[in-house]
Amino acid sequence: ALPGVTSFTDTGLTNGTTYSDVVEAVNEELLTTQAAPVTATPVAAPVTPPPAATMVDTFTRPDTTGTIGVADTGQTWGTPNAAWGISGNQLLAQTNAATVLCQTGQPSASAQYDADVQHVSTGGRFAGLVFAALGASSRWNLVIDARDNLANLQRRSNDSSSSVVSVPMDIGTGVYHLRARFNGPGNLIQCWVWQGDGPPPTTPTITYTLPAADVTQFNAGGTRVGVTTTGTTAVRVDNVSVRALA
C-alpha cells in the first residue's frame, strides 16, 4: 500500500464466492508485516421493484354486451353504451363506441403514474387511451389515428376537444401499445406509442408541458383512465393498467 492509501476496491469478483485479502506492509529495508486475513462475500446490489399497479384489467372474464364489469384490481368500469362488451377475454368496442372510464386507484390526479393500454386491432377512425379524466367531458386522450396516420395527444374540456400535439406515424395493422405518463407535480405529460411486443422507445413519442390553467383543472380531480374509439370498425383492446411512479 502507498502512504496515505486506506482503502482498496477489488473488481471482477463473483457474487456468492468468499474471498480472503491480506494487507502486507514493506519498509525501506524490505521487511514485511502481514495483517490478519479479512474475508468477505460479495452480493448483488438489491433491486428495488417497481410500485405495484393500482389498476389492472386483462378482461379475462365471460363475454358480455353493453357492460364491462369489474377490473382485476376491483375497480368498476363506468356504464358504457351498448356498443361495448367483453369478447374472447378482450374489450370489444363496436361501431362508434365513444368513451368508457374506470378509476385509476390513485389517491389524487396530482400523483405521478403511467397508464397503459394494448390495442389488439386498429380499425376505426381513432382509438386510444384516456387518462387524467375528470369525466367523459373533460379528459386527456392519447390516440392512434388510422385515417390520418398520426399519434395524437388530445385535450377535451367541457365537451370541447382539441388536438394538442400530433406526430406522423404509419398506423398499420397489428398490436399497438400506448403509454401516457402523467406527472402532476411536474406539470408534464409524456406519451409513448409503439408497435409489437417489445419495450417502449427510449425517447417519448410526445412530450407536453401543462399550462397553468390545465394544471388547475386536471390536477384537482382527474383520477380516471379509460379507452376511447370512434369510427365504423370494431376495435379490440386488452391489458389496461395504471402504475404509480416511484
Side-chain angles (χ1 to χ4, degrees):
L2 298 174
V5 177
T6 59
S7 65
F8 172 73
T9 300
D10 201 354
T11 60
L13 306 182
T14 301
N15 291 329
T17 300
T18 300
Y19 296 87
S20 294
D21 290 290
V22 175
V23 176
E24 184 177 76
V26 180
N27 62 19
E28 294 178 352
E29 298 177 358
L30 301 181
L31 299 176
T32 64
T33 301
Q34 286 188 346
V38 175
T39 61
T41 304
V43 296
V47 177
T48 302
T54 55
M55 184 269 177
V56 174
D57 203 346
T58 60
F59 306 104
T60 307
R61 46 189 178 272
D63 290 358
T64 63
T65 300
T67 182
I68 299 175
V70 179
D72 299 357
T73 44
Q75 295 93 343
T76 300
W77 285 89
T79 303
N81 62 26
W84 294 95
I86 305 295
S87 175
N89 295 328
Q90 294 173 346
L91 178 60
L92 176 62
Q94 296 283 6
T95 57
N96 290 311
T99 299
V100 64
L101 301 174
C102 187
Q103 283 289 351
T104 62
Q106 294 296 315
S108 71
S110 61
Q112 302 179 68
Y113 62 84
D114 280 346
D116 287 79
V117 67
Q118 178 183 20
H119 279 273
V120 180
S121 63
T122 54
R125 164 67 196 281
F126 65 73
L129 172 68
V130 180
F131 63 99
L134 299 167
S137 62
S138 295
R139 65 183 191 264
W140 290 90
N141 299 335
L142 171 62
V143 300
I144 47 177
D145 187 333
R147 188 190 72 178
D148 295 334
N149 286 310
L150 298 171
N152 200 339
L153 176 64
Q154 301 172 341
R155 177 187 183 275
R156 186 171 180 83
S157 179
N158 300 320
D159 274 334
S160 178
S161 295
S162 60
S163 175
V164 176
V165 181
S166 295
V167 176
M169 294 188 73
D170 184 11
I171 306 298
T173 59
V175 176
Y176 279 81
H177 296 257
L178 284 73
R179 172 174 296 173
R181 175 167 296 174
F182 186 77
N183 183 342
N187 305 333
L188 185 68
I189 292 174
Q190 294 172 295
C191 303
W192 290 260
V193 178
W194 72 102
Q195 189 175 20
D197 294 325
T202 303
T203 303
T205 310
I206 293 172
T207 298
Y208 179 70
T209 301
L210 292 166
D214 286 345
V215 172
T216 300
Q217 180 178 6
F218 289 96
N219 277 5
T223 59
R224 283 176 275 185
V225 297
V227 291
T228 186
T229 180
T230 296
T232 58
T233 306
V235 174
R236 287 185 173 270
V237 176
D238 209 352
N239 300 323
V240 177
S241 67
V242 175
R243 189 179 304 275
L245 299 178

